[in-house]
Amino acid sequence: MTGEPDRSPAHLRHARFAIAAVFCAHGAVTGSFATRIPWIQDHAQLGAGTLGLALAFPALGAALAMPLAGRINHRFGARPALRVLLSMWTLSLILPSLAPNLPTLCLALFVYGATSGMSDVAMNALGVETENRLGRSVMSSLHGMWSVGALLGSAAGTVAAHLGADARLHHLIAALSLTAAGLVAVRGVLDLRSDQEAPAPPHFALPPKSALFIGAIGFCAVFAEGASLDWSAVYLRDVLDTDAGLAAASTTAFALTMAVARLAGDRVVDRFGAVRTVRAGGVLATAGGVLVVTAAHPAAALAGFGMIGLGIAVVVPLAFAAAARSGPSPAQAIAGVATITYTSGLIAPSAIGAVADATSLVVSFGLVTLLAFALTAGAAVLRPGPPVGQATGTAGPPHRDEPADTADTRP
């Protein structure tokens, strides 16, 4: 990747804030959609089973479309590609609430997921290059901003639902507002162009070998995240016989824990390195899983879910960063890791349910605990090699297996 000549600290700080705003806008779309799912279900006249089928289509669309993002980046450049892909994603929020039945909802959600996945790859590739040029970790806080956006979007959606607003109007206003905000934010991101003499990435390709082991680590973290988000409330209600209010609070608490940990995670990564951070996080998440499956009181289970959230929070951002440095095509490698992690998010809720049906929820979270332990065992695959940017003269980040030896100039 080549880019604009201005690499001054002020320019890079501006680019960092701009890509953070992009992450926030991306997350806000997800939060806006999630809060209106009950309205969409009623509008399309779906039962629980058919709704579950429809909700598999975003992940399917994302998994199929993400490998295209690398070629789009190569063809048009990072900033123009992100401008178009992010706008497609924010505007796709309009589609699900318009669907009158199951087939149209599945089609709408497929488009929604496809645009989400492609814009996700584009913004993560730019996030990694911004991190490279700054010379310190920022990916965790960028994903933290995504969580902040999701919380803001869900808060606005909760207000709209409480007021009885039609989701079609709500999502139209949200989509237009987020599209405008996204276009303003994209103006400040790095303007990177691929070397036109380099071969273009294929239209569609399986994840490169360099991304498979990194993706496996992301798979474990996302599986634990999806299981905890979707099943923590059910676990407290069914296993520990808590009231509905306390059970529901576990999901919100877990999401907040993830957001806070990601916002603070960059300082930890800069201090201790990616491998040590993930190993320690794996130990913490494993201990949390053990606490959940052995809990005799709701407070212990809540603490356990919080420990899982803290332990896995920075894994996916670090996996994307490691993928971008694992081969000659950062966007393609990120797309490979993203495809694997999206697949994990797709299968985790149903896998937990299947294991629970065959055995119990306690056994299901025993599986989550084993996957959390795998983070400790496999963290070494996140050991950073020479940044791809060095091939074009771009300054790379410190080797984050060791503490950074440069002064922190974090804005």
Side-chain angles (χ1 to χ4, degrees):
M1 281 282 186
T2 58
E4 66 270 15
D6 188 353
R7 296 176 183 170
S8 66
H11 177 73
L12 292 177
R13 283 197 298 270
H14 179 70
R16 185 266 180 95
F17 287 128
I19 194 65
V22 168
F23 272 77
C24 188
H26 194 285
V29 176
T30 300
S32 299
F33 167 72
T35 53
R36 305 314 303 271
I37 289 176
W39 190 99
I40 293 169
Q41 179 184 11
D42 292 342
H43 179 68
Q45 300 180 344
L46 304 180
T50 49
L51 176 63
L53 173 64
L55 291 176
F57 275 78
L60 179 62
L64 292 176
M66 280 188 292
L68 299 173
R71 191 174 184 90
I72 294 172
N73 261 17
H74 178 86
R75 173 68 179 82
F76 298 104
R79 185 191 288 170
L82 181 60
R83 181 183 297 116
V84 173
L85 293 175
L86 183 65
S87 297
M88 290 171 60
W89 161 235
T90 53
L91 291 173
S92 75
L93 176 61
I94 300 170
L95 300 179
S97 60
L98 298 177
N101 51 43
L102 177 63
T104 54
L105 180 60
C106 290
L107 178 60
L109 290 177
F110 183 89
V111 174
Y112 173 86
T115 55
S116 171
M118 290 190 292
S119 57
D120 191 292
V121 170
M123 71 185 190
N124 273 285
L126 268 169
V128 170
E129 185 61 25
T130 303
E131 179 177 87
N132 286 349
R133 296 189 181 196
L134 283 169
R136 54 184 170 81
S137 178
V138 299
M139 286 299 290
S140 179
S141 63
L142 291 181
H143 282 251
M145 288 302 297
W146 188 96
S147 298
V148 169
L151 288 170
L152 291 173
S154 63
T158 299
V159 172
H162 180 72
L163 295 175
D166 188 307
R168 290 169 293 190
L169 177 60
H170 164 214
H171 283 168
L172 175 63
I173 294 172
L176 294 177
S177 301
L178 291 171
T179 300
L183 288 172
V184 172
V186 170
R187 292 175 61 186
V189 304
L190 296 175
D191 189 13
L192 306 177
R193 301 281 174 170
S194 296
D195 183 356
Q196 294 303 307
E197 296 182 0
H203 286 287
F204 185 88
L206 294 174
K209 292 181 181 179
S210 61
L212 293 179
F213 291 113
I214 297 170
I217 292 296
F219 181 98
C220 294
V222 172
F223 192 101
E225 179 182 353
S228 298
L229 280 172
D230 288 358
W231 286 94
S232 58
V234 178
Y235 190 96
L236 265 70
R237 183 193 65 192
D238 292 354
V239 176
L240 298 174
D241 197 29
T242 63
D243 63 78
L246 181 59
S250 66
T251 303
T252 302
F254 182 85
L256 285 171
T257 298
M258 288 280 292
V260 171
R262 282 177 169 172
L263 289 171
D266 289 323
R267 293 186 183 277
V268 178
V269 174
D270 283 337
R271 175 67 179 85
F272 297 104
V275 174
R276 294 174 186 170
T277 299
V278 172
R279 280 178 178 158
V283 171
L284 183 61
T286 301
V290 170
L291 191 55
V292 168
V293 300
T294 59
H297 190 276
L302 284 170
F305 283 120
M307 291 167 66
I308 294 174
L310 287 172
I312 65 174
V314 301
V315 176
V316 171
L318 291 177
F320 282 138
R325 302 182 187 103
S326 67
S329 178
Q332 185 181 352
I334 289 173
V337 169
T339 301
I340 295 169
T341 57
Y342 267 68
T343 301
S344 180
L346 173 63
I347 69 172
S350 57
I352 292 295
V355 174
D357 282 341
T359 54
S360 69
L361 269 176
V362 174
V363 175
S364 293
F365 276 90
L367 172 62
V368 171
T369 304
L370 290 175
L371 291 175
F373 180 74
L375 297 175
T376 300
V381 302
L382 301 181
R383 193 182 307 279
V388 174
Q390 286 183 353
T392 58
T394 301
H399 191 288
R400 283 191 289 275
D401 274 346
E402 301 296 337
D405 56 4
T406 55
D408 187 5
T409 58
R410 188 181 310 276

